Amino acid sequence: MAYVSLETSGKVARTVSPNFSRNTRAGRLKHLLSTSAIDSDDVDEFCQAAEAYEIGRASARGSVGKTVALLFFQPSTRTRIGFEAATVALGSYSIGMEDMSASRTNARTGESLEDCAAVVSRLCDAIVVRHHEAGAADRMAAKSLKPVINAGDGWNEHPTQALVDIFALRRGLGTIAGRSIAFGGDPRGRTVRSLIQLIRFEAPKEIVFCPPPHYDVPTDILSAIAENQIRYRVIPEITDALTDCDAIMMAPYDMSDIGEPAASGYISPNATPESHVITREKIERTHSQALLYHPLPRQDEIHPSCDDLPNAMYFEQVRLSKFMRMAVLNRILTAN
Amino acid sequence: MAYVSLETSGKVARTVSPNFSRNTRAGRLKHLLSTSAIDSDDVDEFCQAAEAYEIGRASARGSVGKTVALLFFQPSTRTRIGFEAATVALGSYSIGMEDMSASRTNARTGESLEDCAAVVSRLCDAIVVRHHEAGAADRMAAKSLKPVINAGDGWNEHPTQALVDIFALRRGLGTIAGRSIAFGGDPRGRTVRSLIQLIRFEAPKEIVFCPPPHYDVPTDILSAIAENQIRYRVIPEITDALTDCDAIMMAPYDMSDIGEPAASGYISPNATPESHVITREKIERTHSQALLYHPLPRQDEIHPSCDDLPNAMYFEQVRLSKFMRMAVLNRILTAN
Amino acid sequence: MAYVSLETSGKVARTVSPNFSRNTRAGRLKHLLSTSAIDSDDVDEFCQAAEAYEIGRASARGSVGKTVALLFFQPSTRTRIGFEAATVALGSYSIGMEDMSASRTNARTGESLEDCAAVVSRLCDAIVVRHHEAGAADRMAAKSLKPVINAGDGWNEHPTQALVDIFALRRGLGTIAGRSIAFGGDPRGRTVRSLIQLIRFEAPKEIVFCPPPHYDVPTDILSAIAENQIRYRVIPEITDALTDCDAIMMAPYDMSDIGEPAASGYISPNATPESHVITREKIERTHSQALLYHPLPRQDEIHPSCDDLPNAMYFEQVRLSKFMRMAVLNRILTAN
């Protein structure tokens, strides 16, 4: 499989909205539902804005006083608190629900997602929604008067996390171009799907999957990689990634609960086999320099004894997330 | 039955607090527990203030920096988010609980509503409470040092929703005076009771009920109408209202869950018989000009295919709710 | 048993951090996990700051715009709303969760407290945590980049409540020195432990316990008293405290649920025997001048008919809590 060489481009050409002209960029992205709507220039713009927020050099004038409704139908810690922290830092306000079972769009009253969007969008300037159903954010966007940001919809996508991940990968690696990036754990998760669609712009040397043997890498993810002529391979042991790769994006070994409503009580099996666990001992034995990322929460796939190693980037990834969510919110709040 | 003619008055005389002098009006309304405490001048004042907020022409100086505690013992979307959005717009802050089962006034710890009010009122400038028990807001007001706003108490009342409804009816109809206003669905709900007590000031031509055959219109509601010499009648099919009325305020067909605690898991029967459902087909067949209102959430009593018709006012009603809740909050926060 | 006389000192010498120099005081207290880390000068400083906030004479410049993450794993009304009100008054912002079962650190996803702290501390300036496990706040502090305030950890401690209690006792009594202070109800609670560790600095005349006969006063609490040479005794009837004591800090008769997760559904037995209940009749019969305090919520250990008596200080205690929580937050937010 061929891949775009670092020398000639450093990046693959953007493949989305090629006719899109630069000066109307800001207004183009009404909602943020999928990373498939984002092109390479968008990613650069988001990363530059995030960096500017990090060093306190970016204006948020357009966001001041605006209200962002957080509608969480699924549990969340870092996404929700990250968006809250971002609204505070922008001078805007988050309103709404940490637990939508306390809303009328719950199992008991049964208001539809469409009505929920129609209603809430008349009381705020943007909606951030997490839901256990794939497509929930799209359904809300169809009836919302205001922009909708998908903060995770079932098995489908989690685009702001993917932007965070790109920002953190660039930060750790300098550039993703020419680097070997591994994905450990369940390859079916929404963050993997969203991230793959962005990473293809970054001209990595290769993508390496270390999935559990009982779950295949979804075919749409493999297609997205192939379309962009990025080399990929599948490995059976995470130590191979520690040896061969520049960065490893970990995920829980089995994320089967991601499409379940909270009330179902379903809990994913969470014992990761030794072959797929990253430990301090493995890192030290392989003298691995691979940077470790994780959208979190983790189960047991990265042992806490790794937290102090220079490889560990997953908490820095959280710190950076606030600035990326500021960038996303500010663009969404000011463009519409 | 006689009714006050539009020509001679446009409004029935206000019947509440007749000795109340205009200059102390602002200070009169400490709590907002029931629309029975509101007179015709209050309604005008609230509507004018709401309109001023809508066009950005109203000061909220007295509300800036104040804190409003939201205490929701029952699920809510639009009331809670509406109050939150209103506090932000006023420069004040909402604190507190979207789900009071996470408070100590829950089934487990069992702190009384009275103690809850005594405590919370020492930490905020106003309380907004929703509860499944009729009279809960009154009980809290009796022990609260600060104003209490009833955001729905069981079967009893929901006064801010009634103010929103009056504001939205006036907006849609120009005036309610001389108009025929229908109420579809369960006539026992708290919004119906609160609204009837305000609508009697507005000199409608008649009130038309289209209730399910198994629930009578509550006698206190019929008395309130009769006392104000407003004509009313009961119809068996909602198409009659589409044909005859200027506006229809819909409600779910059966709201039996409204007095139940969330933890009960009780779910109202929610299949509306065809005779009581508004569809696009019925509107088009009858060439109805009737404006459709609904406090929401709806079940199946208004089909979503109606949403795009010019008749549909129920989402505009939500948009207007924010300005009315600003008006209520600002008056309550500044008068006390 | 001897006790330090009011004449010679007014206070016992501070016994914590004796080598701590005054000028680095502000920076010393990174976290607030236990009152055992607080000395007599700290208490004075907190009380002075709280008083200054109460009369509007204190700056909160260092707290403006900062974010405080509230992480409540256990139900709370006054502590949570008190911290929220305090952040608003300081110009800072509270973000986060009124119910951490809606986070990923819940029974289902099972993120560890350590990871929760590592993550959230990268998105805020301070963490306030309540949890049903003793030591939970310490575990979070060990991994948090930002200060952690213990808002109650199981049976262990509740230091901000103890500071509130000292502030309210001083307010009611003028001084605690030389006064007889009773503790009614379950002596095993976290507020008792935290408060005893502070009250020993205040040179009370004696500590009087009126516990249920089936629970002993914990030995660590008795040791803390003995070490500071404070006299104590145990009485069988609360009327003895009404007769003999200057102030009574009440607690529920049985707090066995305090170490249980909310999901357990465990409810403490809550029928207080007549011998341990304070009623208006008892107060009037004994002509008691004893001031009544309670961290609240109460069960039936103080009858509501006492609320209007001049003895009742428990709601004033709540009012004062906001200013003390401002003092704590401001010191924590500005010192680190």
Side-chain angles (χ1 to χ4, degrees), chain A residues 65 67 71 93-99 101-109 111 115 118-120 122-123 143, chain B residues 75-78 80-82 84-85 88 98 130 257 260-262 264 266-267 296-299 315 318 321-322:
Chain A
T67 53
L71 307 179
Y93 297 90
S94 58
I95 61 178
M97 318 285 286
E98 72 186 35
D99 178 5
S101 68
S103 82
R104 305 297 280 267
T105 311
N106 60 6
R108 192 180 175 203
T109 316
E111 184 168 36
D115 277 13
V119 163
V120 174
R122 282 163 172 89
L123 299 169
K143 292 292 179 183
Chain B
S76 167
T77 304
R78 71 220 85 239
R80 183 173 179 276
I81 290 182
E84 280 195 280
V88 169
E98 72 186 34
R130 167 167 293 187
D257 68 350
E260 299 285 328
S264 75
Y266 179 86
I267 297 178
L296 303 174
R298 63 179 158 184
Q299 304 286 351
F315 291 134
V318 173
S321 73
K322 176 177 146 181

Side-chain angles (χ1 to χ4, degrees), chain C:
Chain C
M1 249 174 239
Y3 65 96
V4 177
S5 83
L6 183 61
E7 286 74 20
T8 53
S9 89
K11 279 200 185 174
V12 298
R14 61 187 153 99
T15 56
V16 177
S17 326
N19 300 322
F20 174 70
S21 119
R22 188 74 204 172
N23 11 356
T24 56
R25 174 159 301 274
R28 185 180 58 95
L29 200 67
K30 175 164 183 183
H31 307 291
L32 182 52
L33 303 173
S34 163
T35 49
S36 66
I38 295 175
D39 65 22
S40 173
D41 287 345
D42 289 320
V43 175
D44 286 348
E45 192 179 281
F46 280 127
C47 286
Q48 283 155 18
E51 207 153 61
Y53 285 121
E54 185 186 2
I55 60 174
R57 287 265 175 92
S59 163
R61 208 176 305 159
S63 297
V64 171
K66 300 236 169 117
T67 53
V68 179
L70 305 181
L71 306 180
F72 279 73
F73 292 86
Q74 238 186 357
S76 168
T77 304
R78 72 220 85 238
T79 302
R80 184 174 179 275
I81 291 184
F83 270 113
E84 282 195 279
T87 56
V88 168
L90 288 171
S92 51
Y93 297 89
S94 58
I95 61 178
M97 319 285 286
E98 73 187 33
D99 178 5
M100 286 294 285
S101 68
S103 81
R104 304 297 281 268
T105 310
N106 60 6
R108 194 180 175 205
T109 316
E111 184 168 36
S112 71
L113 280 176
E114 284 78 8
D115 278 13
C116 181
V119 163
V120 174
S121 70
R122 281 162 172 89
L123 299 169
C124 69
D125 297 302
I127 290 175
V128 174
V129 60
R130 167 168 293 187
H131 202 281
H132 51 271
E133 283 179 27
D138 291 78
R139 285 173 58 194
M140 296 192 81
K143 292 291 180 185
S144 174
L145 295 189
K146 302 286 169 53
V148 173
I149 297 173
N150 180 3
D153 63 327
W155 284 107
N156 185 37
E157 288 225 31
H158 191 355
T160 63
Q161 183 63 46
L163 285 166
V164 168
D165 296 347
I166 290 286
F167 186 41
L169 283 166
R170 287 185 178 185
R171 176 64 59 93
L173 298 171
T175 175
I176 298 166
R179 304 308 176 99
S180 177
I181 312 293
F183 284 80
D186 197 328
R188 304 170 304 159
R190 56 196 180 201
T191 58
V192 178
R193 173 166 293 102
S194 287
L195 180 52
I196 285 289
Q197 291 176 151
L198 295 186
I199 219 165
R200 60 184 176 166
F201 302 135
E202 304 279 322
K205 177 178 154 200
E206 63 172 357
I207 302 290
V208 176
F209 292 99
C210 182
H214 50 293
Y215 295 130
D216 289 331
V217 180
T219 50
D220 68 311
I221 289 180
L222 295 184
S223 300
I225 295 173
E227 270 172 35
N228 286 270
Q229 299 172 300
I230 298 166
R231 187 165 60 192
Y232 78 88
R233 55 191 172 103
V234 175
I235 57 172
E237 299 247 346
I238 201 70
T239 41
D240 297 341
L242 285 172
T243 308
D244 297 352
C245 296
D246 299 295
I248 309 176
M249 183 66 65
M250 290 296 284
Y253 186 69
D254 189 314
M255 301 183 70
S256 296
D257 67 350
I258 210 169
E260 299 285 328
S264 76
Y266 178 85
I267 296 178
S268 292
N270 66 2
T272 305
E274 200 282 335
S275 56
H276 283 65
V277 173
I278 294 181
T279 63
R280 187 178 187 113
E281 187 275 328
K282 288 184 188 179
I283 292 172
E284 293 178 341
R285 176 160 45 83
T286 58
H287 304 289
S288 177
Q289 308 275 314
L291 297 180
L292 304 180
Y293 293 86
H294 198 306
L296 302 174
R298 62 178 158 186
Q299 304 286 352
D300 54 357
E301 61 276 8
I302 300 180
H303 192 272
S305 60
C306 303
D307 294 1
D308 300 328
L309 296 177
N311 309 66
M313 282 293 289
Y314 34 91
F315 291 135
E316 172 69 0
Q317 196 178 351
V318 173
R319 190 185 70 82
L320 294 171
S321 73
K322 176 177 145 183
F323 310 113
M324 180 52 80
R325 294 206 160 97
M326 291 175 72
V328 169
L329 278 176
N330 191 59
R331 176 160 162 187
I332 290 285
L333 285 169
T334 55
N336 291 283

Side-chain angles (χ1 to χ4, degrees), chain A residues 14 77 139 199 234 241 258 264 268 280 284 305 336:
Chain A
R14 60 187 154 95
T77 303
R139 284 173 59 195
I199 220 165
V234 174
I258 210 169
S264 75
S268 292
R280 187 178 187 113
E284 292 178 343
S305 60
N336 290 283

Side-chain angles (χ1 to χ4, degrees), chain B residues 94-130:
Chain B
S94 59
I95 61 178
M97 317 285 287
E98 72 186 34
D99 178 5
M100 285 294 284
S101 68
S103 81
R104 304 298 281 268
T105 311
N106 59 7
R108 193 180 174 204
T109 315
E111 184 168 35
S112 71
L113 280 175
E114 284 78 7
D115 277 12
C116 181
V119 162
V120 174
S121 70
R122 281 163 172 89
L123 298 169
C124 69
D125 298 302
I127 289 175
V128 174
V129 60
R130 167 167 293 187

Side-chain angles (χ1 to χ4, degrees), chain A residues 177-211:
Chain A
R179 304 306 176 100
S180 176
I181 312 292
F183 284 80
D186 197 328
R188 304 170 305 157
R190 57 195 179 202
T191 59
V192 178
R193 173 166 294 102
S194 287
L195 179 53
I196 286 289
Q197 289 175 153
L198 295 186
I199 220 165
R200 58 184 180 170
F201 302 135
E202 305 280 322
K205 178 180 155 200
E206 64 172 357
I207 303 290
V208 176
F209 292 99
C210 182

